[in-house]
Amino acid sequence: MRRSHIGEFELIQRLRQATRVPRALRGSVVAGIGDDAAILRLRPGRVLLATTDLLAEHVHFDLTCTPYRQLGYKAAMANFSDIAAMGGIPRFVLIALALTPRESPRDVEALYAGVHAACRRADVALVGGDTSASRRDLFLTVVVLGEAAPREVLRRSTAHAGDHLYVTGTVGDAQAGLELLQARKRASSYLTGRHLAPTARLREARLLAENRLASAAIDLSDGLAGDVRHICEESGVGCLLDARKFPLSPALLIHARSRRRDPIAYALSGGEDYELLFAVPPPKVRRVEALIRRRQLRATAIGRILPASQGLRIIGTNGSVRPMAAKGYEHRVG
Ligand code: ADP
Ligand code: MG
């Protein structure tokens, strides 16, 4: 494939060095980078989960406030999060790049160092990709393959009226972090870190999937309002969220106050938290609550699934119930 000023062959040689398959995965990667296609082995009886994201410069990320390393890390982690939201284990990643004349070999190495850091945290192997050129904007496509036992898979479409809604971690932090980065302020490294280097909730997802504790799940990429709507639409149900219960970090509260904004707005429409939103059937609630008490699961109950006729509603911080606005969130990585 045609490339700009780094020879493609040389690039691939470097990648092979920089991205050796971790020992634990050698059994499943029969052939990785170097042949026409990777040869991968799944564990017996597992289904393959496949997901991809295409990230375009100036649409999804801005290199003036996102270093290459973080771009690579985050692109990989966001796809791991999609596999986690399905109750699966991410195993393999492929990266396709359209590089501009501006990217130096060092930039590409930084990008792969980020991908590699994400892969190390999640025990994922880089097994292939493609390299091409672009005249002006950088394009980055990530493909992640994961696996799950068929009965453990978590869908968006299987929530039922009466289920309890939980969310992991805290919500709204990534949006606040992005605002700080755009304002060139590092007032909170916690918040900027939540934007630049999110952590997919892989362990939490496995715990829920293995113990069959959740009826449905999604990862938060658009904010609670948008993502709970996905679950409700796919499952044909309504919901009642309680904003008074939203898990908000101290750093977010300080940030929102300094901008004279309602912190709940960050939780509802802030993007890219990569927390898990999941529904728990009533007979499983006691077990989930016990896991939370024992600190084996960091999650908070934030509402219930209701029949579709009830629509999507929210109890505000003043206790009044109102319909939930479909506030979208425009994607930007950095
Ligand atoms: P083809 O022409 O068959 O697409 P390439 O020369 O593009 O083959 O790729 C050769 C090998 O290098 C393949 O195994 C491919 O997966 C890998 N590869 C190419 N580009 C990348 C990349 N940007 N990241 C990771 N692996 C890559
Ligand atoms: Mg190719």
PDB file of all heavy atoms in Angstrom, residues 1 8 11-12 15 32-38 94-97 112 126-131, ligand 1:
ATOM      1  N   MET A   1       0.848  -1.210   0.000  1.00  0.00           N
ATOM      2  CA  MET A   1       0.000   0.000   0.000  1.00  0.00           C
ATOM      3  C   MET A   1       0.872   1.245   0.000  1.00  0.00           C
ATOM      4  O   MET A   1       1.915   1.272   0.649  1.00  0.00           O
ATOM      5  CB  MET A   1      -0.852  -0.032   1.260  1.00  0.00           C
ATOM      6  CG  MET A   1      -2.123   0.714   1.097  1.00  0.00           C
ATOM      7  SD  MET A   1      -3.590  -0.331   1.035  1.00  0.00           S
ATOM      8  CE  MET A   1      -3.243  -1.530  -0.207  1.00  0.00           C
ATOM      9  N   GLU A   8       6.592   1.498   4.330  1.00  0.00           N
ATOM     10  CA  GLU A   8       5.632   0.628   4.998  1.00  0.00           C
ATOM     11  C   GLU A   8       6.330  -0.608   5.551  1.00  0.00           C
ATOM     12  O   GLU A   8       6.045  -1.056   6.651  1.00  0.00           O
ATOM     13  CB  GLU A   8       4.512   0.207   4.043  1.00  0.00           C
ATOM     14  CG  GLU A   8       3.394  -0.466   4.822  1.00  0.00           C
ATOM     15  CD  GLU A   8       2.395  -1.185   3.943  1.00  0.00           C
ATOM     16  OE1 GLU A   8       2.500  -1.097   2.709  1.00  0.00           O
ATOM     17  OE2 GLU A   8       1.529  -1.859   4.501  1.00  0.00           O
ATOM     18  N   LEU A  11       8.034   0.217   8.694  1.00  0.00           N
ATOM     19  CA  LEU A  11       7.053   0.421   9.755  1.00  0.00           C
ATOM     20  C   LEU A  11       6.596  -0.906  10.328  1.00  0.00           C
ATOM     21  O   LEU A  11       6.544  -1.109  11.540  1.00  0.00           O
ATOM     22  CB  LEU A  11       5.854   1.205   9.213  1.00  0.00           C
ATOM     23  CG  LEU A  11       4.703   1.386  10.196  1.00  0.00           C
ATOM     24  CD1 LEU A  11       5.061   2.388  11.291  1.00  0.00           C
ATOM     25  CD2 LEU A  11       3.440   1.837   9.485  1.00  0.00           C
ATOM     26  N   ILE A  12       6.273  -1.833   9.434  1.00  0.00           N
ATOM     27  CA  ILE A  12       5.761  -3.129   9.896  1.00  0.00           C
ATOM     28  C   ILE A  12       6.836  -3.882  10.690  1.00  0.00           C
ATOM     29  O   ILE A  12       6.551  -4.490  11.716  1.00  0.00           O
ATOM     30  CB  ILE A  12       5.230  -3.955   8.705  1.00  0.00           C
ATOM     31  CG1 ILE A  12       3.960  -3.280   8.144  1.00  0.00           C
ATOM     32  CG2 ILE A  12       4.905  -5.384   9.118  1.00  0.00           C
ATOM     33  CD1 ILE A  12       3.494  -3.816   6.822  1.00  0.00           C
ATOM     34  N   LEU A  15       6.866  -2.428  14.044  1.00  0.00           N
ATOM     35  CA  LEU A  15       5.672  -2.816  14.796  1.00  0.00           C
ATOM     36  C   LEU A  15       5.810  -4.206  15.367  1.00  0.00           C
ATOM     37  O   LEU A  15       5.388  -4.481  16.481  1.00  0.00           O
ATOM     38  CB  LEU A  15       4.442  -2.799  13.880  1.00  0.00           C
ATOM     39  CG  LEU A  15       3.963  -1.428  13.480  1.00  0.00           C
ATOM     40  CD1 LEU A  15       2.751  -1.555  12.572  1.00  0.00           C
ATOM     41  CD2 LEU A  15       3.607  -0.663  14.729  1.00  0.00           C
ATOM     42  N   GLY A  32       0.401 -13.839  13.515  1.00  0.00           N
ATOM     43  CA  GLY A  32      -0.006 -12.446  13.730  1.00  0.00           C
ATOM     44  C   GLY A  32       0.437 -11.584  12.573  1.00  0.00           C
ATOM     45  O   GLY A  32       0.216 -11.924  11.405  1.00  0.00           O
ATOM     46  N   ILE A  33       1.121 -10.466  12.890  1.00  0.00           N
ATOM     47  CA  ILE A  33       1.578  -9.547  11.846  1.00  0.00           C
ATOM     48  C   ILE A  33       2.591 -10.247  10.945  1.00  0.00           C
ATOM     49  O   ILE A  33       3.479 -10.941  11.432  1.00  0.00           O
ATOM     50  CB  ILE A  33       2.213  -8.296  12.498  1.00  0.00           C
ATOM     51  CG1 ILE A  33       1.129  -7.501  13.233  1.00  0.00           C
ATOM     52  CG2 ILE A  33       2.919  -7.438  11.464  1.00  0.00           C
ATOM     53  CD1 ILE A  33       1.657  -6.314  14.010  1.00  0.00           C
ATOM     54  N   GLY A  34       2.453 -10.085   9.637  1.00  0.00           N
ATOM     55  CA  GLY A  34       3.454 -10.609   8.717  1.00  0.00           C
ATOM     56  C   GLY A  34       2.880 -11.419   7.579  1.00  0.00           C
ATOM     57  O   GLY A  34       3.454 -11.468   6.501  1.00  0.00           O
ATOM     58  N   ASP A  35       1.756 -12.062   7.780  1.00  0.00           N
ATOM     59  CA  ASP A  35       1.174 -12.822   6.672  1.00  0.00           C
ATOM     60  C   ASP A  35       0.001 -12.035   6.092  1.00  0.00           C
ATOM     61  O   ASP A  35      -0.258 -10.905   6.478  1.00  0.00           O
ATOM     62  CB  ASP A  35       0.723 -14.214   7.164  1.00  0.00           C
ATOM     63  CG  ASP A  35       0.915 -15.266   6.080  1.00  0.00           C
ATOM     64  OD1 ASP A  35       0.614 -14.957   4.910  1.00  0.00           O
ATOM     65  OD2 ASP A  35       1.366 -16.387   6.403  1.00  0.00           O
ATOM     66  N   ASP A  36      -0.723 -12.632   5.153  1.00  0.00           N
ATOM     67  CA  ASP A  36      -1.832 -11.907   4.519  1.00  0.00           C
ATOM     68  C   ASP A  36      -3.002 -11.724   5.467  1.00  0.00           C
ATOM     69  O   ASP A  36      -3.783 -10.784   5.336  1.00  0.00           O
ATOM     70  CB  ASP A  36      -2.299 -12.661   3.265  1.00  0.00           C
ATOM     71  CG  ASP A  36      -1.228 -12.618   2.188  1.00  0.00           C
ATOM     72  OD1 ASP A  36      -0.665 -11.530   1.978  1.00  0.00           O
ATOM     73  OD2 ASP A  36      -0.945 -13.667   1.578  1.00  0.00           O
ATOM     74  N   ALA A  37      -3.139 -12.640   6.409  1.00  0.00           N
ATOM     75  CA  ALA A  37      -4.193 -12.512   7.421  1.00  0.00           C
ATOM     76  C   ALA A  37      -3.698 -13.183   8.691  1.00  0.00           C
ATOM     77  O   ALA A  37      -2.842 -14.067   8.641  1.00  0.00           O
ATOM     78  CB  ALA A  37      -5.490 -13.178   6.941  1.00  0.00           C
ATOM     79  N   ALA A  38      -4.202 -12.749   9.804  1.00  0.00           N
ATOM     80  CA  ALA A  38      -3.854 -13.394  11.069  1.00  0.00           C
ATOM     81  C   ALA A  38      -4.630 -14.701  11.194  1.00  0.00           C
ATOM     82  O   ALA A  38      -5.742 -14.821  10.679  1.00  0.00           O
ATOM     83  CB  ALA A  38      -4.185 -12.467  12.234  1.00  0.00           C
ATOM     84  N   LEU A  94      -6.702  -5.138  15.583  1.00  0.00           N
ATOM     85  CA  LEU A  94      -6.094  -4.768  14.306  1.00  0.00           C
ATOM     86  C   LEU A  94      -6.244  -3.256  14.141  1.00  0.00           C
ATOM     87  O   LEU A  94      -7.261  -2.692  14.522  1.00  0.00           O
ATOM     88  CB  LEU A  94      -6.773  -5.476  13.121  1.00  0.00           C
ATOM     89  CG  LEU A  94      -6.660  -6.997  13.106  1.00  0.00           C
ATOM     90  CD1 LEU A  94      -7.898  -7.640  13.703  1.00  0.00           C
ATOM     91  CD2 LEU A  94      -6.434  -7.507  11.686  1.00  0.00           C
ATOM     92  N   ILE A  95      -5.202  -2.624  13.570  1.00  0.00           N
ATOM     93  CA  ILE A  95      -5.173  -1.167  13.449  1.00  0.00           C
ATOM     94  C   ILE A  95      -4.950  -0.791  11.993  1.00  0.00           C
ATOM     95  O   ILE A  95      -3.971  -1.220  11.387  1.00  0.00           O
ATOM     96  CB  ILE A  95      -3.976  -0.584  14.239  1.00  0.00           C
ATOM     97  CG1 ILE A  95      -4.015  -1.024  15.699  1.00  0.00           C
ATOM     98  CG2 ILE A  95      -3.916   0.931  14.099  1.00  0.00           C
ATOM     99  CD1 ILE A  95      -4.933  -0.261  16.574  1.00  0.00           C
ATOM    100  N   ALA A  96      -5.835   0.000  11.420  1.00  0.00           N
ATOM    101  CA  ALA A  96      -5.605   0.515  10.062  1.00  0.00           C
ATOM    102  C   ALA A  96      -5.400   2.023  10.152  1.00  0.00           C
ATOM    103  O   ALA A  96      -6.145   2.724  10.829  1.00  0.00           O
ATOM    104  CB  ALA A  96      -6.792   0.181   9.165  1.00  0.00           C
ATOM    105  N   LEU A  97      -4.360   2.492   9.473  1.00  0.00           N
ATOM    106  CA  LEU A  97      -3.959   3.887   9.561  1.00  0.00           C
ATOM    107  C   LEU A  97      -3.880   4.521   8.189  1.00  0.00           C
ATOM    108  O   LEU A  97      -3.377   3.889   7.250  1.00  0.00           O
ATOM    109  CB  LEU A  97      -2.532   3.970  10.125  1.00  0.00           C
ATOM    110  CG  LEU A  97      -2.269   3.624  11.579  1.00  0.00           C
ATOM    111  CD1 LEU A  97      -0.762   3.596  11.798  1.00  0.00           C
ATOM    112  CD2 LEU A  97      -2.921   4.666  12.456  1.00  0.00           C
ATOM    113  N   TYR A 112       1.484   3.745  18.569  1.00  0.00           N
ATOM    114  CA  TYR A 112       1.493   2.302  18.868  1.00  0.00           C
ATOM    115  C   TYR A 112       1.866   2.007  20.312  1.00  0.00           C
ATOM    116  O   TYR A 112       1.404   1.022  20.879  1.00  0.00           O
ATOM    117  CB  TYR A 112       2.403   1.549  17.898  1.00  0.00           C
ATOM    118  CG  TYR A 112       1.644   1.178  16.649  1.00  0.00           C
ATOM    119  CD1 TYR A 112       1.570   2.043  15.581  1.00  0.00           C
ATOM    120  CD2 TYR A 112       0.940  -0.019  16.582  1.00  0.00           C
ATOM    121  CE1 TYR A 112       0.831   1.733  14.463  1.00  0.00           C
ATOM    122  CE2 TYR A 112       0.196  -0.355  15.470  1.00  0.00           C
ATOM    123  CZ  TYR A 112       0.145   0.531  14.410  1.00  0.00           C
ATOM    124  OH  TYR A 112      -0.601   0.219  13.316  1.00  0.00           O
ATOM    125  N   LEU A 126      -1.971  -7.455  19.472  1.00  0.00           N
ATOM    126  CA  LEU A 126      -2.066  -6.773  18.181  1.00  0.00           C
ATOM    127  C   LEU A 126      -1.702  -7.781  17.096  1.00  0.00           C
ATOM    128  O   LEU A 126      -0.592  -8.307  17.081  1.00  0.00           O
ATOM    129  CB  LEU A 126      -1.095  -5.594  18.135  1.00  0.00           C
ATOM    130  CG  LEU A 126      -1.091  -4.817  16.820  1.00  0.00           C
ATOM    131  CD1 LEU A 126      -2.321  -3.942  16.701  1.00  0.00           C
ATOM    132  CD2 LEU A 126       0.152  -3.966  16.680  1.00  0.00           C
ATOM    133  N   VAL A 127      -2.605  -8.082  16.211  1.00  0.00           N
ATOM    134  CA  VAL A 127      -2.380  -9.183  15.261  1.00  0.00           C
ATOM    135  C   VAL A 127      -2.406  -8.750  13.805  1.00  0.00           C
ATOM    136  O   VAL A 127      -2.274  -9.588  12.915  1.00  0.00           O
ATOM    137  CB  VAL A 127      -3.401 -10.325  15.473  1.00  0.00           C
ATOM    138  CG1 VAL A 127      -3.234 -10.944  16.856  1.00  0.00           C
ATOM    139  CG2 VAL A 127      -4.835  -9.840  15.261  1.00  0.00           C
ATOM    140  N   GLY A 128      -2.554  -7.452  13.544  1.00  0.00           N
ATOM    141  CA  GLY A 128      -2.516  -7.042  12.150  1.00  0.00           C
ATOM    142  C   GLY A 128      -3.050  -5.649  11.950  1.00  0.00           C
ATOM    143  O   GLY A 128      -3.390  -4.947  12.909  1.00  0.00           O
ATOM    144  N   GLY A 129      -3.107  -5.246  10.685  1.00  0.00           N
ATOM    145  CA  GLY A 129      -3.590  -3.912  10.384  1.00  0.00           C
ATOM    146  C   GLY A 129      -3.360  -3.582   8.931  1.00  0.00           C
ATOM    147  O   GLY A 129      -3.093  -4.466   8.107  1.00  0.00           O
ATOM    148  N   ASP A 130      -3.443  -2.313   8.621  1.00  0.00           N
ATOM    149  CA  ASP A 130      -3.165  -1.860   7.271  1.00  0.00           C
ATOM    150  C   ASP A 130      -2.613  -0.444   7.369  1.00  0.00           C
ATOM    151  O   ASP A 130      -2.928   0.288   8.309  1.00  0.00           O
ATOM    152  CB  ASP A 130      -4.441  -1.897   6.420  1.00  0.00           C
ATOM    153  CG  ASP A 130      -4.116  -1.810   4.937  1.00  0.00           C
ATOM    154  OD1 ASP A 130      -2.985  -2.203   4.550  1.00  0.00           O
ATOM    155  OD2 ASP A 130      -4.976  -1.341   4.172  1.00  0.00           O
ATOM    156  N   THR A 131      -1.760  -0.090   6.403  1.00  0.00           N
ATOM    157  CA  THR A 131      -1.121   1.213   6.447  1.00  0.00           C
ATOM    158  C   THR A 131      -1.289   1.889   5.106  1.00  0.00           C
ATOM    159  O   THR A 131      -0.952   1.312   4.070  1.00  0.00           O
ATOM    160  CB  THR A 131       0.384   1.069   6.754  1.00  0.00           C
ATOM    161  OG1 THR A 131       0.523   0.157   7.846  1.00  0.00           O
ATOM    162  CG2 THR A 131       0.993   2.393   7.133  1.00  0.00           C
TER     163      THR A 131
HETATM  164  P1  ADP B   1      -1.527  -6.614   2.377  1.00  0.00           P
HETATM  165  O1  ADP B   1      -0.931  -5.906   1.229  1.00  0.00           O
HETATM  166  O2  ADP B   1      -1.821  -8.065   2.169  1.00  0.00           O
HETATM  167  O3  ADP B   1      -2.641  -5.851   3.016  1.00  0.00           O
HETATM  168  P2  ADP B   1       0.399  -5.452   4.105  1.00  0.00           P
HETATM  169  O4  ADP B   1       1.722  -5.316   3.449  1.00  0.00           O
HETATM  170  O5  ADP B   1      -0.505  -4.274   4.184  1.00  0.00           O
HETATM  171  O6  ADP B   1      -0.341  -6.688   3.465  1.00  0.00           O
HETATM  172  O7  ADP B   1       0.609  -5.977   5.590  1.00  0.00           O
HETATM  173  C1  ADP B   1       1.561  -6.965   5.901  1.00  0.00           C
HETATM  174  C2  ADP B   1       1.357  -7.417   7.319  1.00  0.00           C
HETATM  175  O8  ADP B   1       1.535  -6.332   8.199  1.00  0.00           O
HETATM  176  C3  ADP B   1      -0.045  -7.936   7.578  1.00  0.00           C
HETATM  177  O9  ADP B   1       0.064  -9.026   8.478  1.00  0.00           O
HETATM  178  C4  ADP B   1      -0.749  -6.782   8.232  1.00  0.00           C
HETATM  179  O10 ADP B   1      -1.747  -7.241   9.119  1.00  0.00           O
HETATM  180  C5  ADP B   1       0.385  -6.081   8.964  1.00  0.00           C
HETATM  181  N1  ADP B   1       0.189  -4.613   9.035  1.00  0.00           N
HETATM  182  C6  ADP B   1       0.200  -3.718   8.029  1.00  0.00           C
HETATM  183  N2  ADP B   1      -0.009  -2.466   8.454  1.00  0.00           N
HETATM  184  C7  ADP B   1      -0.169  -2.563   9.790  1.00  0.00           C
HETATM  185  C8  ADP B   1      -0.454  -1.631  10.818  1.00  0.00           C
HETATM  186  N3  ADP B   1      -0.613  -0.310  10.586  1.00  0.00           N
HETATM  187  N4  ADP B   1      -0.582  -2.089  12.084  1.00  0.00           N
HETATM  188  C9  ADP B   1      -0.436  -3.404  12.350  1.00  0.00           C
HETATM  189  N5  ADP B   1      -0.172  -4.323  11.446  1.00  0.00           N
HETATM  190  C10 ADP B   1      -0.043  -3.935  10.161  1.00  0.00           C
END
